[in-house]
Amino acid sequence: MDAVPSRPGARLIHNEATTEIPVHLLFRDDPDPQPVPLRPAVVNRRQGTGEQPRTRRPVPAKPRAQVDPELVERPARVLPATVGVLAGLCGTAGCLATSWWAGVLSPLAGAALGLPAVAGAGLGPAQWAAYAGAGALGLFGFGGLARGSTGRAWVLGLFGRYRGTVRRTGLMWVNPLLLRRRVDVRLRHWRSEPLCAAEPGGVALRVVVLVVWRVRDTARAVLGVEDHEGYLRECVEAALARVPVEMPGSARASVAGETLTRLVSADAAAVGLEVYSVQPVRVEYAPELAAAMHRRRIAALDAQQRATMLTSVVDSVEDTVTRLTMRGLVELDDYERKVLVRDLTVAFCSGRAGDTVH
């Protein structure tokens, strides 16, 4: 038997690279094979093109908004109001005593205060120094008195450095040299103006959302961002740009609120804000699309109603013909069955149409 002549040569695709496999590896029977180390996936270059091998690099994760990790709320050092009152009274008493010493105090005032009448020494350097010390003590004592209220806090700073937060209520004494910034830490809600959003199909919407939030970390809310209320507003707008919003009444209308709450809460947590709920309270089409979408919704509701009515008519006709035939009340051939079905369909449709109009 003649051997089959081999073809002159199989045509290969240009620049195709092939690899030879040793024959002993094809028939290797190793009961305990060693694992083969895997190398990073590399896309080989095409020969003759000059391209370099390209490795698949992992996609970097989205960076999170962060502030100074050392900027965390901590309680400030305050003293009881008694300390400030005593310091202020001591300063006032010192001013009166200096006036008596200098002879500036009138005899009647001195007698009323129980001070003996003496010849005044005059206003000299010592008297002015006593006035300055007593006045500074009085101003420092009375100037540091502050009253804390429920739901309010003070963020204290000195020369641009955070010195603590005061959440206490009642009368207290705070260093008057510290800069005080009042912060509302009560549970608050914000009803937004109409914001831009979109349906899952890309149709433009105008959405009004209700945000329930509060300041959790006063240091980050006041010092970590320029305006924490404006930052929260921007977070809500950014979340609405990423989350499609359903029209009210749909099955997935509540899913948008849960997703918005999760996104806004994650973005606002970096600046010390705690977001409890972000819920759309009014959803409407954009003004330029409102009329067209209203007609579209009416047409869809009309088509749905017609389909429901047709299904009901067909079921009623089928049930009527089946009962007449099964009970032996009539005997119908194909032509008579078709005529009966047609007449019943017309009668039922006319009755349903009349009920709908009424």
Side-chain angles (χ1 to χ4, degrees):
M1 187 174 179
D2 297 337
V4 179
S6 60
R7 290 186 293 179
R11 298 183 60 187
L12 299 177
I13 301 176
H14 292 288
N15 301 330
E16 179 182 2
T18 59
T19 303
E20 296 182 357
I21 302 176
V23 177
H24 69 279
L25 293 180
L26 297 177
F27 303 94
R28 181 178 180 180
D29 188 9
D30 191 352
D32 188 12
Q34 298 295 329
V36 180
L38 299 179
R39 297 181 179 179
V42 178
V43 181
N44 294 328
R45 63 178 180 180
R46 292 178 297 174
Q47 297 180 3
T49 60
E51 295 182 0
Q52 298 296 327
R54 302 185 302 274
T55 58
R56 298 177 182 177
R57 299 179 180 178
V59 180
K62 178 182 176 182
R64 283 285 185 183
Q66 295 182 355
V67 297
D68 187 1
E70 298 182 358
L71 187 61
V72 180
E73 178 181 332
R74 61 178 183 271
R77 296 179 179 178
V78 296
L79 298 177
T82 308
V83 176
V85 173
L86 291 177
L89 292 177
C90 290
T92 304
C95 290
L96 292 176
T98 304
S99 299
W100 172 77
W101 179 26
V104 178
L105 194 65
S106 63
L108 294 178
L113 295 175
L115 299 176
V118 296
L123 292 176
Q127 286 76 16
W128 284 116
Y131 268 128
L137 181 60
L139 291 177
F140 201 77
F142 287 127
L145 295 177
R147 183 176 62 88
S149 57
T150 304
R152 306 279 183 174
W154 280 320
V155 176
L156 306 181
L158 181 62
F159 304 119
R161 185 177 180 182
Y162 175 61
R163 307 299 287 181
T165 299
V166 179
R167 288 181 178 260
R168 294 175 55 179
T169 59
L171 195 62
M172 69 193 79
W173 186 85
V174 182
N175 188 349
L177 299 179
L178 298 177
L179 177 63
R180 310 175 191 177
R181 299 184 183 181
R182 186 178 291 272
V183 184
D184 191 346
V185 295
R186 295 173 296 181
L187 187 66
R188 305 168 64 183
H189 70 278
W190 168 58
R191 186 184 180 95
S192 71
E193 65 277 2
L195 303 175
C196 297
E199 277 189 333
V203 180
L205 299 175
R206 293 294 184 271
V207 181
V208 176
V209 297
L210 181 65
V211 184
V212 181
W213 64 285
R214 73 177 180 93
V215 175
R216 178 176 52 85
D217 193 312
T218 57
R220 293 190 173 186
V222 175
L223 304 177
V225 67
E226 182 177 1
D227 180 13
H228 60 273
E229 295 184 4
Y231 181 84
L232 178 62
R233 186 180 301 109
E234 298 296 336
C235 289
V236 172
E237 293 184 3
L240 283 174
R242 290 181 287 172
V243 178
V245 180
E246 298 280 354
M247 293 297 292
S250 60
R252 298 178 56 84
S254 61
V255 178
E258 298 175 359
T259 307
L260 288 173
T261 302
R262 185 174 65 255
L263 293 178
V264 176
S265 178
D267 292 337
V271 295
L273 303 182
E274 189 171 6
V275 179
Y276 296 96
S277 174
V278 181
Q279 295 295 332
V281 295
R282 192 177 70 198
V283 182
E284 57 188 13
Y285 290 106
E288 62 272 12
L289 301 175
M293 297 307 299
H294 182 65
R295 291 193 298 268
R296 179 180 175 182
R297 288 181 64 86
I298 291 179
L301 291 175
D302 183 64
Q304 183 179 2
Q305 183 180 5
R306 289 177 180 273
T308 303
M309 184 182 68
L310 182 59
T311 302
S312 178
V313 167
V314 171
D315 293 341
S316 300
V317 170
E318 181 182 7
D319 184 62
T320 302
V321 174
T322 302
R323 288 187 178 185
L324 291 175
T325 306
M326 294 296 294
R327 296 182 181 181
L329 299 178
V330 293
E331 294 183 0
L332 304 174
D333 55 11
D334 292 341
Y335 177 75
E336 292 174 344
R337 181 185 294 274
K338 293 179 180 179
V339 172
L340 179 60
V341 169
R342 183 190 62 188
D343 294 341
L344 290 175
T345 303
V346 172
F348 286 154
C349 287
S350 300
R352 296 297 174 88
D355 296 340
T356 304
V357 172
H358 289 297

